[in-house]
Amino acid sequence: MTGGREAAGIVSRGLAALVDAFVLALIGLVVEVGAGCARLMVVGPPFQLPDVPNWLSGPVGWGLAVCYLGGSWTVVGATPGARLLGVCVTDRAGRRLRAPRALARAALSVSFPLGLFWIPFSRRRAALQDLVVRSTVSYDRDYG
């Protein structure tokens, strides 16, 4: 229990991460189609999606994911996937994460997603990124 709330387990958090991965893929698709539309208006037909080199798409995708996660945790305390599953991310006192800590947690989560597999071995049900930034993920009945 954390601040009167039950700590979320690996299944809830994993499903939330899967939903968020789909949301991020959709955002990426919208950005690509938007860039294709902008190219169409400037250059003319035919419509073409941009051919983004791999050396650029990786860092841009990483940055988009970090901003999506960190921004969600800072502004509302949960990503859309987490809200769908009724969980929220807070500091250990139960307060919403401030931007630097949320962005650090997001960077760790995106860079090392296997950190989630520490949850079953933790008494607090904490992922490795939670231990590093001192955060907590718990069920929040206000969201569900």
Side-chain angles (χ1 to χ4, degrees):
M1 298 279 284
T2 351
R5 292 190 240 158
E6 181 183 357
I10 191 168
V11 174
S12 300
R13 293 171 70 171
L15 289 173
L18 189 61
V19 170
D20 290 327
F22 281 118
V23 170
L24 276 165
L26 184 61
I27 290 169
L29 180 63
V30 167
V31 168
E32 264 197 279
V33 170
C37 289
R39 181 196 173 281
L40 178 66
M41 290 190 314
V42 172
V43 177
F47 175 81
Q48 236 180 346
L49 291 177
D51 186 21
V52 181
N54 288 338
W55 64 267
L56 182 61
S57 64
V60 168
W62 184 89
L64 178 66
V66 168
C67 290
Y68 167 81
L69 294 171
S72 295
W73 295 330
T74 300
V75 175
V76 294
T79 61
R83 287 190 63 111
L84 183 68
L85 284 136
V87 299
C88 63
V89 178
T90 61
D91 64 13
R92 289 187 183 169
R95 296 180 303 254
R96 196 175 304 147
L97 297 181
R98 295 190 185 267
R101 187 183 285 184
L103 289 170
R105 185 180 190 280
L108 288 168
S109 297
V110 173
S111 300
F112 190 65
L114 295 178
L116 282 175
F117 289 112
W118 184 250
I119 295 169
F121 304 103
S122 169
R123 285 183 293 153
R124 294 191 314 111
R125 291 188 187 168
L128 290 178
Q129 45 270 45
D130 295 319
L131 297 174
V132 172
V133 300
R134 298 183 323 266
S135 61
T136 300
V137 180
S138 57
Y139 292 107
D140 187 352
R141 301 302 174 209
D142 295 336
Y143 285 134

